[in-house]
Amino acid sequence: MVRDELSCRGNNECISELLDISSEENRSFEKLAKLVKSKQRKSKKQINVLTEEFAKEPNWSYEFMKDLAVKLGISYTKVYKWHWDKISHNGKRLKGR
């Protein structure tokens, strides 16, 4: 009986019905999930500030990166990753010389 229902209507429709979620709510949830997964790029202004701060002092502390993240309105992780990439890129250029 369950197999017949699944083959007729499909997995998602049956599961949605079982969870008491309408098709419209399910589509809204899928759209929300896609928005959450999408990357949010840093603005030009944010990149400029990161670059200026790196030019002043390339060795950043944890506290400095936390403060900078708050100032720029982005996560600490994004600041850390940008800094890590910048250091890695500079290191590779120096080794190549």
Side-chain angles (χ1 to χ4, degrees), residues 4-97:
D4 295 335
E5 191 71 23
L6 284 173
S7 64
C8 286
R9 296 191 307 157
N11 293 341
N12 289 340
E13 190 175 333
C14 290
I15 291 170
S16 293
E17 186 177 320
L18 289 172
L19 294 174
D20 198 24
I21 299 174
S22 71
S23 295
E24 186 62 37
E25 289 171 334
N26 195 23
R27 278 189 223 114
S28 296
F29 179 75
E30 288 171 357
K31 287 179 184 176
L32 180 62
K34 286 180 183 177
L35 287 174
V36 169
K37 289 182 181 179
S38 67
K39 289 184 178 181
Q40 185 176 0
R41 301 201 183 273
K42 290 176 270 314
S43 69
K44 287 182 181 182
K45 181 181 177 183
Q46 291 168 331
I47 292 171
N48 287 341
V49 171
L50 289 165
T51 304
E52 288 170 7
E53 293 296 335
F54 187 80
K56 289 179 197 173
E57 174 58 53
N59 299 315
W60 294 357
S61 69
Y62 171 77
E63 287 298 322
F64 178 77
M65 286 190 265
K66 274 181 39 179
D67 293 341
L68 190 56
V70 170
K71 177 182 171 185
L72 296 175
I74 58 178
S75 69
Y76 163 79
T77 308
K78 287 187 183 277
V79 172
Y80 177 87
K81 177 74 166 78
W82 184 92
H83 183 252
W84 176 263
D85 291 344
K86 193 74 170 169
I87 288 172
S88 298
H89 181 70
N90 282 349
K92 287 178 185 175
R93 283 184 27 208
L94 291 175
K95 288 179 185 176
R97 287 184 177 175

